[in-house]
Amino acid sequence: DQQVKQNSPSLSVQEGRISILNCDYTNSMFDYFLWYKKYPAEGPTFLISISSIKDKNEDGRFTVFLNKSAKHLSLHIVPSQPGDSAVYFCAAFLLSGNTPLVFGKGTRLSVIA
Amino acid sequence: DARVTQTPRHKVTEMGQEVTMRCQPILGHNTVFWYRQTMMQGLELLAYFRNRAPLDDSGMPKDRFSAEMPDATLATLKIQPSEPRDSAVYFCASGHSGRADNEQFFGPGTRLTVL
């Protein structure tokens, strides 16, 4: 039973346009959500996070939106650059008990020049 | 520049052989995680430790996989005997349980191929 779902395995976007990566979750008790980015032959690296008490967090070209009622979050990249081409993983966890991150299966983003 | 290191980076072995993967977490981190990445399952948690104590290894096939932390600077994941279906990339990550956002720092992974 996947608690964190990324239903789009891949996404292609033209350079300069907006990339929107989506993530749905089933556990309404999750306290924190994170996005990780992964290049081939490297480990995932942390990109941006959001607490469940917020609905938006912005860091440069990256913004994460959280819709708790819909149990949905999205990562917006504006403007998209070829270097953003990577696999993006959505993850979530519960603060109580320091539970490990629960990851989605990832979405491969290709930014076309 | 603190990073998680993993050895070996690549391993090709024959079915039935023992495989040991090693991880050195970032100094000062007290949580260590082992993940396996496959096309079908994405990033699966295999095991994790806090302060060297195993907290959860329910993601591991217990009959063949074992994870240990002999000391704070070394975590190991062992497969014995290995099978072709174990072929995947295995990642180690470390973090600190005191961080509210639970950020984990990943190593570069060990790509395992079992023939």
Side-chain angles (χ1 to χ4, degrees):
Chain A
D1 178 32
Q2 276 244 294
Q3 293 190 67
V4 177
K5 299 178 187 179
Q6 293 177 259
N7 292 319
S8 298
S10 62
L11 174 69
S12 287
V13 173
Q14 271 199 311
E15 182 180 5
R17 305 295 280 265
I18 183 171
S19 295
I20 300 176
L21 295 101
N22 293 305
C23 178
D24 297 297
Y25 60 96
T26 56
N27 189 344
S28 58
M29 303 299 290
F30 281 134
D31 296 297
Y32 253 98
F33 303 88
L34 299 86
W35 285 93
Y36 278 78
K37 177 178 178 179
K38 185 186 176 304
Y39 292 118
E42 294 183 12
T45 54
F46 170 76
L47 188 59
I48 192 170
S49 67
I50 187 168
S51 163
S52 61
I53 62 173
K54 296 190 173 183
D55 55 19
K56 179 182 174 181
N57 188 24
E58 194 171 348
D59 183 3
R61 296 185 298 114
F62 303 90
T63 304
V64 57
F65 294 93
L66 176 62
N67 182 334
K68 286 192 74 175
S69 61
K71 294 181 193 164
H72 177 84
L73 67 155
S74 59
L75 174 68
H76 292 213
I77 307 173
V78 183
S80 303
Q81 299 173 353
D84 296 329
S85 298
V87 177
Y88 289 79
F89 290 97
C90 172
F93 76 99
L94 298 162
L95 270 172
S96 59
N98 281 125
T99 57
L101 294 174
V102 179
F103 282 91
K105 292 188 181 181
T107 296
R108 181 178 300 278
L109 173 66
S110 299
V111 179
I112 304 158
Chain B
D1 184 24
R3 349 183 135 195
V4 176
T5 57
Q6 288 186 249
T7 56
R9 292 293 310 274
H10 302 273
K11 176 74 176 178
V12 179
T13 190
E14 290 188 336
M15 181 173 66
Q17 296 297 304
E18 177 179 303
V19 174
T20 299
M21 291 169 269
R22 293 177 174 79
C23 167
Q24 182 172 15
I26 291 173
L27 190 66
H29 282 183
N30 68 336
T31 55
V32 172
F33 305 82
W34 282 104
Y35 293 91
R36 173 168 64 182
Q37 184 187 14
T38 62
M39 291 297 290
M40 296 298 295
Q41 298 296 328
L43 278 170
E44 298 176 86
L45 178 69
L46 297 175
Y48 84 102
F49 296 79
R50 189 191 312 151
N51 299 323
R52 293 178 56 203
L55 290 192
D56 186 356
D57 60 3
S58 59
M60 287 198 316
K62 297 283 192 312
D63 56 338
R64 299 185 300 108
F65 283 60
S66 61
E68 295 180 348
M69 275 202 79
D71 61 60
T73 64
L74 177 64
T76 62
L77 179 67
K78 192 173 294 187
I79 308 174
Q80 166 63 11
S82 57
E83 297 180 2
R85 61 182 165 147
D86 301 329
S87 298
V89 181
Y90 291 80
F91 289 103
C92 173
S94 72
H96 199 287
S97 57
R99 283 186 65 119
D101 65 2
N102 204 5
E103 181 182 347
Q104 295 174 20
F105 296 81
F106 283 77
T110 294
R111 180 175 292 279
L112 173 65
T113 303
V114 182
L115 303 173

